[in-house]
Amino acid sequence: MLPLFPLRIPSLARSGQSLLSKFSPSTRPIVPRRFFYGHISDTKMAPQLEPFFKQVDESSETFIDRLRKAVAIPSISAQDENRKDVFRMAQFLADELTALGAEVEQRPLGKQPGKEHLDLPPVVVARYGNDKNKKTILVYGHYDVQPAQKEDGWATEPFELTIDEKGRMYGRGSTDDKGPVLGWVNVIEAHRKAGIELPVNLLCCFEGMEEYGSEGLDDFIQAEAKKYFKDTDAVCISDNYWLGTEKPCLTYGLRGCNYYSVSVSGPAQDLHSGVFGGSAHEPMTDLVTVLSKLVDPQGNILIPGLMDLVAPMTEDEKSLYGNISYTMENLHESLGSETGIHPNKERTLMARWRYPSLSIHGIEGAYSAPGAKTVIPAKVIGKFSIRTVPNMESEDVNKLVFDHIKAEFAKLNSKNKLDVWLQHDGKWWVASPKHWNFSAASKAVQQVFGVEPDMTREGGSIPVTLTFEQATGKNVLLLPMGSSTDAAHSANEKLDRRNYIEGTKLLGAYLHYVAEEPATE
Ligand SMILES: C[C@H](N)C(=O)N[C@@H](Cc1c[nH]cn1)C(=O)O
Ligand SMILES: [Zn+2]
Ligand SMILES: [Zn+2]
């Protein structure tokens, strides 16, 4: 192990050129591309990585063009009117994979529960390679995206990939999760073009409802675990983000997500506030009062009993946070402001990874257009979610939430009607990173980025992670491509060109190191 100080190599960072090509495979040392962080171990170059990396560099414009086409399809799973686009995106992905020689199927999932006029988008499954002497890696990603409108604060059209002078590629889905999904497609293409065999069999599982709670996918994975996915040796998911902008990470934990709606209704229709203000119970007043009893401005959840469900912190766990390469500046950079709640990085990471949070997302039926309409809305629906952590069980959380909201509403002595229900839930997941799946990924990070990755947990949720682990019985690794400043789910979502191109190399290198790992469970 070599102790090293941070060292910038700006010319390489800009050109995206590989220092590795200056050395022959046998003599080549591990050479960092941009920054050194601490220790670099002496990982050996897997054979055939050099021509693969070279091909990725040569194909980078083709890969960016592929992302441009994908971003242009507004595959928003939450909006009924875009369902046809989600289907179009599935077809695009299936066509790209088929053209590269993969065996592709679009598996239907039936009707959307609660919205039976809509078909759920298909799961795009694909197999590339079927060699019994090779390991089989199952990769998962999603091709649906969050809603986006220019008016939300986008500087560019959300569904037109726009690349600025710093190589930042703006567009909805660029980082979440079209870039990483296409990263796998790029890996296949680069191998074919370079005339290199893929070192593993690849199984793909790409869904179109992740941003809406992965409707229908759990049953599909369980049903196919011993069929389509039966050969799986390990699972890899690229659908989260680095902690900062320079240092990659491997992720072994996710928070869960329980998403709720709470409606208040009373008047038969919207009312004139001059005529009825002061003489009728107003649903909006009731709702905002109830919502204000859920969480305080310091992020403390106000639902009695909820924090008692959280697993206590151990001394071992406490000692992990200080070693993570993360600073308050990283937080401020990704926030775009200095509005963080906590005083230091340790407490900030704990709040993101190992404590629950409650966020209020919006109110359906509220007057939100610019201008001054003097209306009393007749029915309003508040939306909020709780990110859950070990050991919170969904049913226990639901009971506490429902009881608390009903009790707070009862205190208002309102004659309006309140309803509260769970829209969807997805469980938290924490695994052990001591597995060859993680070792292979760590070597790949060192090869591509010249740095040992941090082992992180993630504040977001990928509900199917636990399902994959339980249904296949295999190790699951999260291998992110994008960085902390990518603004997933927000306006001006982007993926940096270097994260996309070096990230494609990372996914490919990971497969090569996986192939070299001794085959154990
Ligand atoms: C981390 C992942 N890229 C992501 O954004 N997941 C969503 C999943 C979700 C849960 N409910 C609705 N969508 C998230 O964490 O919000
Ligand atoms: Zn995602
Ligand atoms: Zn997302």
Side-chain angles (χ1 to χ4, degrees), residues 142 144-146 175-177 210-211 239 241 387 461-462 488-489 493:
H142 62 92
D144 63 319
V145 296
Q146 288 279 322
T175 194
D176 184 14
D177 182 34
E210 199 269 351
E211 300 292 11
D239 184 24
Y241 321 99
R387 297 289 172 168
S461 314
I462 307 173
H489 292 206
E493 175 180 348

Side-chain angles (χ1 to χ4, degrees), residues 25 136 192 385 389:
T136 298
R192 286 171 72 87
S385 70
V389 296

Side-chain angles (χ1 to χ4, degrees), residues 321-347:
Y321 296 96
N323 296 327
I324 304 288
S325 308
Y326 187 67
T327 62
M328 293 306 280
E329 286 68 42
N330 288 141
L331 173 70
H332 298 153
E333 192 183 4
S334 45
L335 279 176
S337 69
E338 297 197 4
T339 52
I341 290 181
H342 304 288
N344 55 43
K345 81 165 187 188
E346 285 83 357
R347 195 57 196 84

Side-chain angles (χ1 to χ4, degrees), residues 52 55-56 59 63 66 93-94 96-104 125-129 137 139 180-206 504-505 507-509 511-512:
F52 166 65
Q55 187 61 57
V56 173
S59 301
F63 296 163
R66 178 172 279 138
L93 211 44
E96 293 290 299
L97 286 159
T98 305
L100 292 171
E103 294 164 39
V104 187
V125 290
R127 172 181 270 283
Y128 191 84
I137 299 300
V139 301
V181 164
L182 296 183
W184 295 114
V185 179
N186 300 341
V187 165
I188 298 176
E189 183 172 9
H191 278 81
R192 286 171 72 87
K193 280 188 172 163
I196 313 161
E197 237 186 84
L198 213 61
V200 300
N201 304 311
L202 204 61
L203 286 177
C204 302
C205 176
F206 298 140
T504 293
K505 291 179 192 169
L507 300 182
L511 298 180
H512 282 266

Side-chain angles (χ1 to χ4, degrees), residues 223-238:
E224 294 298 331
K226 298 283 171 282
K227 295 194 238 165
Y228 198 87
F229 302 137
K230 72 174 182 340
D231 299 331
T232 302
D233 290 302
V235 183
C236 180
I237 298 178
S238 188

